Amino acid sequence: MNEGAAGPGRLATFLGAVAAPTGLVTGLLYYFGYFHAYWFFAYFRVNSTVLGFSTADYLMRSLDALWVPLTVAATLGVAVFWGYDLGRRRLGPLMGPVARRRATAALAAIGFLLLAGGLWSTFQVTFLSRVLTLAPLSLSAGVALLAYARHLARRNAAEAPAPQPPAAREPEPAPSPADDGDDQGDGDGNGDGDGTDAAPNTSAAEGADAPPAPGDRPTAPAPDPAPEPAPPSPARPEWAVLAEWAVVFTLVMLGLVWAANDYAASVGTVRAQRFTAGLPHYPTTIVYSEHSLSISGPGVSETRCKDAKGGKDDAAYGYRYDGLTLILQSGNQYVLVPTRWTPADGVALVLPRNDSVRLEFGPPPGAAARGRARVPSC
């Protein structure tokens, strides 16, 4: 079984049967939208849980939090897939077994360092934590590289050539009779002795070095037996393959969710800062109330309304408040801040939406300042 190809496919089938893709995606979008809203209103010192956001509100806010991450992830994914295919076709044939093993070892080392940095950052603040989403992305990238390096190591082992048996040794040639005759002519080493002294030695030498009979053939030594190839490693059980890829998938997804969570919190805070910077350009909100709300803040003024006919304090809405800007209306509540709101001393207001409160919208404070100043009146 090709574990590198079958493992992720079987895991995806299992996850699709256990968790519906639509429900999983909806849950993730709700999660990211929640953190986006939480950190947006936390900048104004308002707890978002009191605003009663609906599921649709969180889903809409999640699009702002995930637009950039999804775009970047899709672009990087296409670049990685195209680069991998190009490198396999161009560099694969040029790399030998040694180069492949070294590349696999380098990927494993890089993956281990990234994984160690990501895990370290989960327990304490490190230099990776100083850069937005760097620590969680290091965790995901490290796990992915280690899994890919293990896949390459298994493929390199499967494609390694089998050991070749040693070549058989050729038999040594037998000595010829002519060579024996030459050796007998020099029996005493100088050729000066008489024949009677050398005859016994010559006969003994001929008996010892007699050539083989015509029917005899020199036998070659038997070659060494070829080593038996190592038996293939048994395939791992299917549950072990699924468990391994499930752990890899879980770690990668946890890192990505961690990164998206940090990015959503950062986007919420940045959006709140931009809203604060644009307060002078947003329409002003005038609040009319039947009763005194005792609203105070930078630039907020209270006016006591009277009946236009008799001048008595029996107007439908007895109080008017100027110098406010509406952030949003959620459920049955209004969220407002003073037009001159600052992070140092600014306050936010959450007013109920009912018949005792009426809102009126006017031009931005900058436009009103350029026109003729008017005294607030009911």
Side-chain angles (χ1 to χ4, degrees):
M1 181 179 62
N2 188 357
E3 299 177 0
R10 293 177 181 270
L11 179 61
T13 303
F14 176 76
L15 292 178
V18 174
T22 304
L24 180 62
V25 172
T26 303
L28 292 176
L29 293 178
Y30 183 92
Y31 176 80
F32 298 137
Y34 173 85
F35 276 95
H36 180 280
Y38 179 86
W39 289 104
F40 178 87
F41 289 98
Y43 186 79
F44 298 103
R45 304 183 182 91
V46 177
N47 194 325
S48 63
T49 58
V50 304
L51 302 178
F53 284 122
S54 63
T55 302
D57 294 331
Y58 287 128
L59 293 181
M60 291 297 295
R61 287 186 171 271
S62 66
L63 298 179
D64 183 34
L66 295 180
W67 177 262
V68 174
L70 291 179
T71 303
V72 173
T75 304
L76 291 179
V78 171
V80 169
F81 291 143
W82 288 352
Y84 173 77
D85 184 66
L86 180 62
R88 184 179 60 179
R89 290 188 288 106
R90 296 291 181 87
L91 300 180
L94 302 179
M95 297 180 64
V98 177
R100 293 180 180 178
R101 288 195 297 268
R102 291 178 178 176
T104 303
L107 287 178
I110 296 174
F112 177 78
L113 292 178
L114 292 176
L115 175 61
L119 291 177
W120 185 23
S121 301
T122 58
F123 299 102
Q124 61 181 4
V125 178
T126 63
F127 66 96
L128 297 177
S129 305
R130 300 174 184 175
V131 181
L132 182 65
T133 70
L134 184 58
L137 292 181
S138 298
L139 176 63
S140 298
V143 175
L145 286 179
L146 284 177
Y148 183 63
R150 181 169 175 79
H151 168 69
L152 289 181
R154 290 173 178 170
R155 190 176 67 179
N156 293 339
E159 295 178 354
Q164 299 294 333
R169 294 178 298 179
E170 297 181 358
E172 297 179 358
S176 61
D179 295 339
D180 294 342
D182 295 341
D183 294 342
Q184 293 173 3
D186 297 334
D188 57 352
N190 50 17
D192 296 335
D194 55 1
T196 58
D197 294 338
N201 295 335
T202 302
S203 300
E206 291 177 356
D209 298 334
D216 296 339
R217 298 291 183 183
T219 58
D224 296 336
E228 297 181 359
S233 57
R236 295 188 302 167
E238 184 177 357
W239 67 265
V241 177
L242 290 177
E244 176 185 349
W245 283 105
V247 172
V248 171
F249 176 80
T250 301
L251 290 176
V252 172
M253 289 304 300
L254 285 177
L256 295 179
V257 170
W258 178 13
N261 182 20
D262 290 351
Y263 182 78
S266 176
V267 170
T269 303
V270 171
R271 294 293 184 268
Q273 293 173 349
R274 292 181 180 179
F275 184 88
T276 303
L279 280 176
H281 308 286
Y282 290 121
T284 58
T285 304
I286 304 172
V287 178
Y288 291 91
S289 176
E290 294 180 356
H291 309 284
S292 176
L293 300 178
S294 301
I295 299 176
S296 62
V300 179
S301 61
E302 180 187 82
T303 302
R304 184 70 178 270
C305 297
K306 297 182 181 181
D307 187 9
K309 295 182 179 180
K312 300 180 180 180
D313 298 337
D314 55 357
Y317 295 94
Y319 296 86
R320 167 177 169 159
Y321 297 90
D322 295 89
L324 297 171
T325 300
L326 178 68
I327 298 180
L328 90 163
Q329 178 265 317
S330 175
N332 293 322
Q333 299 180 99
Y334 300 111
V335 182
L336 304 100
V337 293
T339 305
R340 300 178 184 177
W341 190 93
T342 59
D345 56 356
V347 295
L349 285 77
V350 179
L351 301 180
R353 181 185 178 185
N354 50 40
D355 295 337
S356 64
V357 175
R358 179 172 66 89
L359 301 185
E360 183 178 304
F361 299 96
R370 289 191 297 267
R372 184 177 60 181
R374 294 187 306 170
V375 178
S377 63
C378 300

